[in-house]
């Protein structure tokens, strides 16, 4: 585990989402996250987002697109 108890990839993904929201005032799509973090599929993004959500870093509104909210 790296900084803040996250893996390097989790931290990179989290920082990308946080910076994206800071610049555009809305969260990135899973496809945009996949392209920025070199993940091969949106399912992989979902796994990372779920892990970050379980750790209390993010929150999602089920059934709503672009519903990622930064908690920490």
């Amino acid at each position: 585990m790296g900084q803040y108890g996250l893996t390097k990839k989790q931290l990179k993904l989290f920082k990308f989402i946080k910076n994206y929201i800071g610049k555009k005032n809305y969260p990135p799509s899973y496809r945009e996250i996949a392209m920025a973090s070199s993940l091969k599929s949106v399912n992989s993004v979902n796994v990372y987002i779920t892990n970050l959500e379980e750790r209390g870093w993010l929150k999602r509104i089920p059934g709503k697109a672009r519903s990622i909210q930064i908690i920490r």
Side-chain angles (χ1 to χ4, degrees), residues 12-38:
K12 180 182 175 184
L13 192 134
F14 177 78
K15 285 181 177 181
F16 169 76
I17 295 168
K18 187 174 182 176
N19 289 335
Y20 190 101
I21 292 171
K23 289 178 184 174
K24 299 198 177 193
N25 292 321
Y26 59 88
S29 69
Y30 279 25
R31 188 157 312 283
E32 290 167 329
I33 295 169
M35 289 189 304
S37 59
S38 302

Side-chain angles (χ1 to χ4, degrees), residues 3-23 26-28 32-34 36-37 39 45 47-60 68-72:
Q3 190 177 18
Y4 307 112
L6 299 177
T7 66
K8 287 181 183 181
K9 256 194 170 170
Q10 287 172 333
L11 187 59
K12 180 182 175 184
L13 192 134
F14 177 78
K15 285 181 177 181
F16 169 76
I17 295 168
K18 187 174 182 176
N19 289 335
Y20 190 101
I21 292 171
K23 289 178 184 174
Y26 59 88
E32 290 167 329
I33 295 169
S37 59
L39 294 172
V45 172
V47 170
Y48 277 91
I49 298 292
T50 300
N51 287 334
L52 289 168
E53 188 174 27
E54 288 172 351
R55 293 171 180 259
W57 288 80
L58 302 174
K59 181 181 174 186
R60 291 182 286 186
I68 300 169
Q69 298 173 336
I70 301 295
I71 302 297
R72 291 191 185 189

